[in-house]
Amino acid sequence: MKHSLLLLSKRFWIGLTILFGLLFLKTAPVIITIAITLIAGLTYQDAVRPLRNYKFWISIVLLVVIVPIFAGVQDTTFLGISYSSNKLDQTFLMVLRGISIFMFIQVLTIDHDSRKVENIMRRLGIKYFSELIDLSRSIIPNAEGIARTMSGKLKRSLKNGFNIRNLYDIIVDVFVDLIRLTNKFDKTELPTLSSDPEILIQLISRKKKPLLIICAGEPWSGKSHWLNTLNNSLQSKKINSAGVITVKQNISGSEYKQFLIDISTKEKRQLSATNPFPTNIKTDRFYFYEDTFQWGIDVIKNGVTSEWLIIDEVGILEQKGNGFGPAIQNIPESFEGVLLIALRKSLIAYLDQFLNEHYPIISKWQRNLILIDKREDC
Amino acid sequence: MKRKTLVFIALFGAFWGISEATLGAVLHALHLPLSGSILSAIGLVILLVARKLDNARGSSLMMAIIAATIKMISFSTVKLGPFIGIIMEGVLVELAMILIGPNKLGFMSAGMVVGIYPLIQNIITKSILFGSNFIPVILELAEGFSKEVGLGLGWWILGLYIGIHFAFGLVAAILAWSLQKSVRALIRNEA
């Protein structure tokens, strides 16, 4: 019990203290408000930052200065100005309550990692949310480009004198650009194959090689699990396969580790973690071990003579030429097998650009798509 | 939902989120009054034009969820006010589009409702902070000011404050209606 109490966070205890103060605010409002503000400010410096903004004080000045002058019965004067002492008492208490409650809310919400909001939204299971937020992530660089172009046109237009018609035309152009971008991202010309491993292996055996297969799905849709199942089927048929598969392990709450597995030797190494550590390879959520990536790259390079080469997964890092990018670039023109890469669904729209820019040899191969939609248990 | 609609929602939601994050920071730095209403109006234009171009049920709400998430991630800490404001804007536009449709009346209705919403959120927030007496005190102030100065000036100022909010929403809705016509005409010419 004592151990459990100690484990409760600082935020919990500060919040509880302030709540206690709020319950007894009427007994000594000025002292309790000052105490609450001091506690909040000393424990979370940013909690009192809004006090520096003039907007914070507008309502307070309105209540404490303006209202007593014009509302109620003016029964007292100060510096020649009549005001209602009754109204001042009332509004002063309201202001003290307002500041105290504001500090309470600040303590509860300040310094939370705002990225957790995304995780919470995913967990709520809002329909299409995961797909949309991943898609919007891949779209954001283009949307930012449109916003920058608009800003540039606006500045040039303002330099030549403000003109409402020009401003209107700029806004119309922005929307037209956005629609053109929609059409670009909507293009999915890849023929889709069955996700049943047995049927897939049979189909592929009749196709011309080399061949690129994209295994696409949302995060946690089961791509790695499916790749593992496929690899087991390949091995049972004595079909030579090589490459790497990733496995995620939930440690607690939103804390994860990822492991990389050599599918030939079953050797396993930690690839990444959500807890920060010094590394040059990182994304919004994960910090990657550079030596594990190098090991994975070597595993892939050694697998270029196999019939099936599996890479789990390719994404944002490879877009920047990092991650497994160097291994993919090393795949020779003489490769005669099937290259199977796992990819987030939202990045399919970028596939052409991605392959043409970084992997010109692979960009010429025939491509097929497998969609993984089943939610993984995590 | 069709893939094209999902792409549409993601794109316009992302654009709205980026606008909120960047313009919001600029307006905050400039300490402009009514910055919430300005941002709300910009969001309304994006929502209404997008809805006219692709009238998929639920799309406005989803755009708001995406925009709110992107805006939230742009802050280093959690700020509930803007998040709730954006989501509610999506809810209100969604309701207007379902009940009335993406026509002129639907646009104007959405405009009025979204225009007044920042004021309503402000009142709710202030009532939570300062107590349920906040509104009666403000109304007493308006009455007292009117009696003191004459001409019902207190009520005029209050009315003007409310009117400005309505005006933001209506102007945004009118602009959105005009924009969607121009955009559709341009796209038809390109096709």
Side-chain angles (χ1 to χ4, degrees):
Chain A
M1 173 76 174
K2 194 177 171 184
H3 183 63
S4 309
L5 282 173
L6 286 171
L7 280 179
L8 291 167
S9 65
K10 168 179 112 177
R11 193 186 302 275
F12 174 82
W13 290 113
I14 302 298
L16 194 64
T17 306
I18 293 177
L19 188 61
F20 192 74
L22 283 171
L23 289 170
F24 293 96
L25 188 66
K26 282 186 181 165
T27 55
V30 177
I31 295 168
I32 291 176
T33 301
I34 293 171
I36 286 173
T37 309
L38 278 172
I39 291 169
L42 289 169
T43 48
Y44 295 97
Q45 278 186 355
D46 286 343
V48 293
R49 198 186 286 265
L51 268 63
R52 289 191 231 159
N53 190 332
Y54 81 94
K55 286 183 186 177
F56 181 85
W57 297 99
I58 291 176
S59 301
I60 291 172
V61 167
L62 189 76
L63 286 170
V64 168
V65 177
I66 311 294
V67 167
I69 293 174
F70 293 102
V73 176
Q74 277 76 39
D75 55 356
T76 325
T77 56
F78 178 73
L79 298 176
I81 301 171
S82 304
Y83 68 93
S84 165
S85 58
N86 236 358
K87 218 25 96 175
L88 178 61
D89 289 340
Q90 184 191 18
T91 55
F92 188 62
L93 273 172
M94 285 168 72
V95 161
L96 292 177
R97 175 203 145 114
I99 293 172
S100 302
I101 293 179
F102 181 77
M103 287 299 141
F104 178 61
I105 294 169
Q106 284 290 93
V107 162
L108 291 183
T109 58
I110 207 86
D111 285 349
H112 274 301
D113 185 357
S114 55
R115 290 171 297 177
K116 283 182 185 169
V117 169
E118 186 186 328
N119 293 338
I120 293 167
M121 300 294 281
R122 283 186 197 267
R123 287 211 172 103
L124 285 174
I126 298 169
K127 210 175 176 187
Y128 300 119
F129 175 79
S130 287
E131 193 171 352
L132 285 169
I133 201 70
D134 289 336
L135 198 51
S136 63
R137 271 225 167 76
S138 59
I139 284 168
I140 277 172
N142 298 81
E144 279 176 337
I146 291 174
R148 269 195 300 272
T149 307
M150 177 181 88
S151 171
K153 283 184 186 175
L154 208 59
K155 281 180 191 163
R156 281 193 296 275
S157 167
L158 286 171
K159 270 186 190 163
N160 299 331
F162 183 73
N163 184 330
I164 287 246
R165 184 73 224 183
N166 280 350
L167 178 63
Y168 182 85
D169 289 341
I170 290 169
I171 298 172
V172 169
D173 286 344
V174 165
F175 278 101
V176 172
D177 285 344
L178 288 170
I179 290 161
R180 285 190 196 123
L181 200 55
T182 312
N183 294 335
K184 175 187 160 190
F185 275 93
D186 182 42
K187 260 200 282 185
T188 44
E189 295 161 350
L190 296 171
T192 308
L193 297 175
S194 168
S195 60
D196 183 302
E198 300 298 323
I199 297 172
L200 177 70
I201 294 169
Q202 250 193 342
L203 268 170
I204 296 302
S205 65
R206 293 197 287 267
K207 282 187 175 273
K208 194 181 158 197
K209 320 282 193 299
L211 182 62
L212 173 65
I213 299 179
I214 313 292
C215 161
E218 296 173 33
W220 297 104
S221 59
K223 297 188 291 297
S224 301
H225 178 76
W226 182 83
L227 287 170
N228 205 32
T229 308
L230 173 72
N231 187 51
N232 290 339
S233 295
L234 288 168
Q235 288 181 349
S236 71
K237 290 173 171 36
K238 309 265 188 277
I239 296 171
N240 188 359
S241 62
V244 291
I245 289 177
T246 52
V247 169
K248 285 193 196 87
Q249 186 186 344
N250 181 225
I251 308 300
S252 63
S254 59
E255 202 186 316
Y256 289 95
K257 287 182 182 176
Q258 266 185 321
F259 294 89
L260 198 65
I261 302 173
D262 179 341
I263 61 174
S264 309
T265 64
K266 307 295 180 203
E267 187 181 347
K268 184 174 161 181
R269 296 193 189 185
Q270 188 174 350
L271 176 64
S272 69
T274 46
N275 281 337
F277 59 85
T279 175
N280 291 323
I281 309 178
K282 54 190 169 194
T283 61
D284 282 347
R285 293 167 69 199
F286 288 99
Y287 295 78
F288 293 88
Y289 290 96
E290 294 170 63
D291 51 353
T292 307
F293 255 123
Q294 189 52 55
W295 172 75
I297 288 168
D298 292 337
V299 167
I300 295 166
K301 280 182 183 174
N302 293 337
V304 295
T305 53
S306 57
E307 291 173 74
W308 284 69
L309 181 58
I310 295 171
I311 304 176
D312 178 18
E313 121 179 9
V314 164
I316 295 163
L317 293 174
E318 286 73 20
Q319 273 187 309
K320 297 175 187 171
N322 290 329
F324 296 125
I328 303 171
Q329 275 167 345
N330 256 286
I331 295 174
E333 278 204 65
S334 56
F335 180 74
E336 286 177 340
V338 177
L339 174 63
L340 173 49
I341 61 177
L343 189 73
R344 283 193 183 183
K345 216 168 164 180
S346 55
L347 296 177
I348 295 175
Y350 268 125
L351 189 63
D352 276 342
Q353 185 186 348
F354 176 56
L355 292 175
N356 293 338
E357 269 178 28
H358 298 286
Y359 314 110
I361 293 172
I362 297 168
S363 68
K364 296 175 201 153
W365 298 354
Q366 191 193 340
R367 297 170 212 171
N368 285 108
L369 178 69
I370 294 165
L371 286 171
I372 307 296
D373 281 325
K374 232 172 25 181
R375 285 266 147 208
E376 217 174 40
D377 288 331
C378 48
Chain B
M1 257 185 201
K2 289 185 294 187
R3 174 168 166 89
K4 183 154 188 176
T5 299
L6 287 174
V7 172
F8 204 79
I9 292 169
L11 182 60
F12 280 88
F15 187 73
W16 182 12
I18 293 165
S19 307
E20 280 276 344
T22 50
L23 281 171
V26 168
L27 290 172
H28 186 73
L30 291 174
H31 299 296
L32 278 181
L34 297 171
S35 50
S37 293
I38 295 170
L39 289 170
S40 188
I42 292 168
L44 182 64
V45 169
I46 295 171
L47 270 176
L48 290 176
V49 172
R51 191 59 178 250
K52 186 69 181 175
L53 295 170
D54 187 340
N55 185 24
R57 196 163 174 133
S59 58
S60 301
L61 179 55
M62 285 312 305
M63 270 180 223
I65 291 172
I66 297 301
T69 306
I70 290 172
K71 171 139 187 176
M72 188 62 69
I73 294 169
S74 73
F75 292 130
S76 57
T77 187
V78 171
K79 289 188 186 179
L80 281 178
F83 185 81
I84 293 169
I86 294 171
I87 299 283
M88 281 308 299
E89 192 167 342
V91 167
L92 293 169
V93 169
E94 187 66 45
L95 282 171
M97 293 299 106
I98 290 172
L99 293 172
I100 304 171
N103 46 47
K104 214 168 191 173
L105 180 62
F107 271 45
M108 296 307 134
S109 306
M112 283 197 293
V113 170
V114 170
I116 203 68
Y117 177 74
L119 188 60
I120 294 172
Q121 184 168 319
N122 206 3
I123 290 170
I124 293 171
T125 309
K126 296 283 190 289
S127 297
I128 291 171
L129 289 177
F130 299 119
S132 55
N133 279 329
F134 180 73
I135 294 298
V137 161
I138 296 299
L139 294 174
E140 272 186 61
L141 171 63
E143 191 176 341
F145 189 78
S146 299
K147 276 187 189 157
E148 189 70 33
V149 175
L151 302 171
L153 196 60
W155 298 113
W156 279 108
I157 293 173
L158 202 58
L160 183 68
Y161 185 65
I162 296 169
I164 287 172
H165 283 83
F166 265 120
F168 265 105
L170 275 174
V171 167
I174 293 166
L175 176 63
W177 184 254
S178 172
L179 278 171
Q180 60 83 20
K181 282 204 283 189
S182 306
V183 169
R184 286 162 77 206
L186 258 175
I187 291 169
R188 261 198 302 272
N189 291 340
E190 276 185 8

